[in-house]
Amino acid sequence: MIEILRAGPLTTVQDLGRPGWRDRGLSRCGALDDLALQWGNLLVGNAPGAAGLEFTLGPARLRLNADCCIAVTGTDTEATLDGQPLRPWWRQHVRAGQTLQLAAPHERMRSYVVISGGIAVPAMLGSRSTDLKAGFGGLDGRPLREGDRLPLAPPARLPTRAIGLR
């Protein structure tokens, strides 16, 4: 379970979206930086399209209430885990109850936090992505806010060693 302590201006659940519905008036949605989401998922042992959190601008803070691995990808935001700096684009082990904080990015807009197992909100039309215009997907089709709790899928495997891209 993830608890949102501070959501930031626009935080949503995103995966790779739902292609093939445009002729019915639905956008693809999905992560705006799909490569950052996919790399983060690969770092923590998920399938590339697993759902993660997309933060627009930040700052944000969340509590991870399960032992897991996380990766922070996307823009150059500074991240800390219980006050200790995290390396971006690296896998980090997290113990239940630890708090992740993201600062506002220095440039660009979107940061991603992916968690081993992925965010386990219900899939709508083959995707867990939030569609703000249609009002479905993610958590009730809306941006996340303080106090929200998101379920996690159990990881297929919990990676054991740290790896990263930079």
Side-chain angles (χ1 to χ4, degrees):
M1 180 79 57
I2 300 170
E3 181 180 355
I4 306 297
L5 303 175
R6 180 176 184 184
L10 181 60
T11 302
T12 57
V13 175
Q14 297 296 342
D15 58 17
L16 297 179
R18 49 184 70 81
W21 294 94
R22 194 160 191 74
D23 63 334
R24 292 177 180 93
L26 297 173
S27 67
R28 176 184 163 272
C29 292
L32 286 174
D33 185 346
D34 57 347
L35 291 177
L37 178 73
Q38 290 178 74
W39 272 110
N41 275 318
L42 293 173
L43 284 169
V44 299
N46 293 344
L53 298 176
E54 180 178 79
F55 296 88
T56 303
L57 295 176
R61 190 171 69 247
L62 50 113
R63 181 175 299 119
L64 297 131
N65 293 321
D67 291 347
C68 58
C69 289
I70 64 169
V72 178
T73 61
T75 191
D76 60 346
T77 188
E78 294 174 14
T80 60
L81 185 64
D82 285 346
Q84 298 300 312
L86 293 182
R87 292 178 72 180
W89 297 84
W90 276 75
R91 175 172 56 217
Q92 174 71 41
H93 290 273
V94 176
R95 291 182 316 278
Q98 288 191 289
T99 300
L100 174 67
Q101 184 152 340
L102 301 176
H106 299 289
E107 54 185 56
R108 298 187 309 266
M109 293 178 64
R110 290 189 173 76
S111 303
Y112 296 86
V113 173
V114 293
I115 300 103
S116 52
I119 308 293
V121 295
M124 299 288 294
L125 303 175
S127 172
R128 299 180 196 285
S129 287
T130 306
D131 185 330
L132 296 173
K133 185 175 181 183
F136 66 84
L139 186 65
D140 301 326
R142 62 170 172 79
L144 299 177
R145 52 186 176 237
E146 287 76 9
D148 284 343
R149 294 174 181 262
L150 299 166
L152 294 174
R157 64 178 177 82
L158 199 56
T160 57
R161 65 182 180 80
I163 61 169
L165 298 177
R166 295 185 194 178

